[in-house]
Amino acid sequence: MPNVDASMRNGVIDQVKIAAGVRMILQGLGEDVKREGLRDTAERVARMYAELLQGAHEDPREYLRVVFDEQHDEMVLVRDVPFSSMCEHHMLPFHGRVHAAYIPRGKVVGLSKIARVIEAFARRLQVQERMTSQIADLLMDELDAQGVGVVVEASHTCMTMRGVKKPGALMMTSAMRGLFKTNQATRSEFLSLVLHNQPTS
Ligand SMILES: [Zn+2]
């Protein structure tokens, strides 16, 4: 798992400390941490957290360094980018899709780079509202766009597995910047492209 290696190298994620904590949780649950099924669990969970949460030590700005000069000034939209993140209130996953659009002002970027930005913001302890704004603000700033719109729809396991237990409930958040905020027609165009013709999955 190359991702884990990278996190170990940069030394910011302390897997030894995480493993010790996981062992304490298991003991707190009354488990025998030496029994066969649990013997390697603490280290395994530590490696998993390092992989899932390494985005906190990444600078997503890097992915937008290479931009192309292009006189296109209509909306560019990337839809249905899947993501998984971790809710910072419960440390349980939430996952879903991101739709992001921008109107360039002479600078465009490869769509895969936008996916990398989403990934970097998702792979950290998050709340959905903040992730939505962070993606929008970064695209707005780095691309010097005329406007940015981001919609995130996600299912939160802290809601579907526990508490009120509402499987299938989706949380929707949006962040509008520039023209997407000030121009009703732009916002409507974006939302109709994003919210209609949903895949059934
Ligand atoms: Zn939660």
Side-chain angles (χ1 to χ4, degrees), residues 128-133 150-154 171-175:
Q128 184 177 331
E129 295 89 333
R130 184 172 68 221
M131 187 179 93
T132 310
S133 304
V150 177
V151 167
V152 179
E153 47 188 292
M171 178 163 159
M172 311 275 301
T173 46
S174 69

Side-chain angles (χ1 to χ4, degrees), residues 3-73:
N3 291 345
V4 177
D5 291 347
S7 317
M8 286 162 77
R9 258 202 312 278
N10 71 23
V12 184
I13 293 181
D14 184 341
Q15 295 193 26
V16 173
K17 197 171 239 177
I18 297 170
V22 172
R23 236 171 265 118
M24 284 180 73
I25 291 172
L26 290 169
Q27 285 160 347
L29 292 168
E31 288 285 354
D32 170 11
V33 294
K34 297 214 164 59
R35 78 174 166 84
E36 199 185 342
L38 293 179
R39 209 183 295 142
D40 302 319
T41 296
E43 282 71 25
R44 199 180 293 118
V45 171
R47 283 196 299 277
M48 180 188 72
Y49 277 149
E51 181 184 351
L52 296 182
L53 302 175
Q54 62 167 333
H57 308 292
E58 252 174 73
D59 182 4
R61 231 164 274 273
E62 272 177 32
Y63 301 127
L64 301 178
R65 290 247 162 83
V66 180
V67 294
F68 306 100
D69 293 328
E70 181 63 61
Q71 286 320 304
H72 187 79
D73 62 357

Side-chain angles (χ1 to χ4, degrees), residues 51-97:
E51 181 184 351
L52 296 182
L53 302 175
Q54 62 167 333
H57 308 292
E58 252 174 73
D59 182 4
R61 231 164 274 273
E62 272 177 32
Y63 301 127
L64 301 178
R65 290 247 162 83
V66 180
V67 294
F68 306 100
D69 293 328
E70 181 63 61
Q71 286 320 304
H72 187 79
D73 62 357
E74 302 289 329
M75 189 180 302
V76 179
L77 168 72
V78 53
R79 235 189 76 161
D80 296 313
V81 181
F83 78 94
S84 295
S85 186
M86 189 86 85
C87 136
E88 70 181 16
H89 299 136
H90 301 94
M91 294 183 76
L92 281 172
F94 64 99
H95 37 81
R97 294 182 303 221

